[in-house]
Amino acid sequence: MPAGPQKYPGASTAQWWQSRWGGDPMEVNTVVWHSTEGTGLPDYAGGSVAPNFTALPDFDAQRLNWHQHFDFDTSSRALANKPGGVETNTLNVCQVEIVGTCDPAAHGKWTVRHLYTPELPDWALRDLAAFARWAHDQHGVPLASGVTFKAYPGSYGANGVRMGAAKWNAFRGHCGHQHVPENDHGDPGLLPMAAILARAGEATGAP
Ligand SMILES: [Zn+2]
């Protein structure tokens, strides 16, 4: 049995995909961040490409509402994984989708309130930091990144920051979809990871 609590306190399990899709047991040491490129809670094609968590903004309450789809230490499905090569979804990663966009073109076009990852409001940073803190305190995920988050669309494809196999296999901490090998997506763009981790560290006193 994986160590530590498997449910994030307060998260809704109304869209629980683990009963349909199973997943592999892991001991998570890495969080992979995504952005949904939409404004609502996705269906994730019936859960077939679902992450462990979705963070859905509530602009009136100025908070993120968390939806959990798989246990923290169970593999989810939002990464591509090619035959051979490295493991992705099952390599001890917990995946989080932030509902919003990393794409400046979408950000400029959308008329509904939405999160734009390079310009997150303070309450979103606060709630993302709280999740990182929980993953650190309960599961030992380092409050560290060590990779550069690039702005979309420069973060798409061969972006200069995507990890190679050895680096990916050894990685611990926080990265984005744009850093994962065998994948071409560029989300979550210029997510202010350093600010999120610094805030999470203030709360724990961790370095
Ligand atoms: Zn993604």
Side-chain angles (χ1 to χ4, degrees):
M1 283 291 288
Q6 294 301 309
K7 301 293 190 297
Y8 187 49
S12 166
T13 54
Q15 256 200 36
W16 184 252
W17 293 117
Q18 190 168 318
S19 46
R20 176 163 178 192
W21 293 104
D24 292 359
M26 307 179 294
E27 286 291 350
V28 164
N29 54 40
T30 294
V31 173
V32 177
W33 295 90
H34 300 261
S35 48
T36 62
E37 306 309 308
T39 58
L41 185 63
D43 172 72
Y44 298 113
S48 63
V49 292
N52 297 76
F53 294 92
T54 304
L56 179 68
D58 180 335
F59 289 93
D60 290 327
Q62 301 206 332
R63 55 165 291 170
L64 297 175
N65 290 328
W66 290 83
H67 294 260
Q68 186 162 0
H69 315 296
F70 293 86
D71 279 333
F72 185 85
D73 285 312
T74 294
S75 66
S76 62
R77 311 177 60 87
L79 293 167
N81 185 46
K82 296 187 174 150
V86 297
E87 297 308 321
T88 59
N89 292 301
T90 57
L91 192 66
N92 301 314
V93 304
C94 173
Q95 303 182 54
V96 183
E97 290 268 8
I98 301 167
V99 174
T101 185
C102 65
D103 181 354
H107 175 54
K109 226 172 344 191
W110 291 356
T111 53
V112 293
R113 290 187 293 182
H114 61 271
L115 292 180
Y116 177 47
T117 55
E119 297 174 7
L120 294 175
D122 187 71
W123 51 264
L125 295 176
R126 176 199 67 204
D127 290 358
L128 296 175
F131 180 86
R133 181 171 72 234
W134 183 83
H136 170 269
D137 291 353
Q138 300 296 334
H139 294 279
V141 177
L143 291 175
S145 181
V147 288
T148 300
F149 281 72
K150 287 186 76 171
Y152 190 86
S155 59
Y156 186 85
N159 54 22
V161 297
R162 202 172 296 280
M163 290 185 245
K167 187 173 178 185
W168 169 245
N169 283 332
F171 189 82
R172 306 285 184 271
H174 292 259
C175 68
H177 197 171
Q178 63 176 260
H179 302 108
V180 180
E182 300 182 7
N183 283 254
D184 53 18
H185 285 196
D187 59 299
L190 195 57
L191 182 71
M193 199 73 248
I196 293 166
L197 294 177
R199 189 136 168 191
E202 284 164 18
T204 60

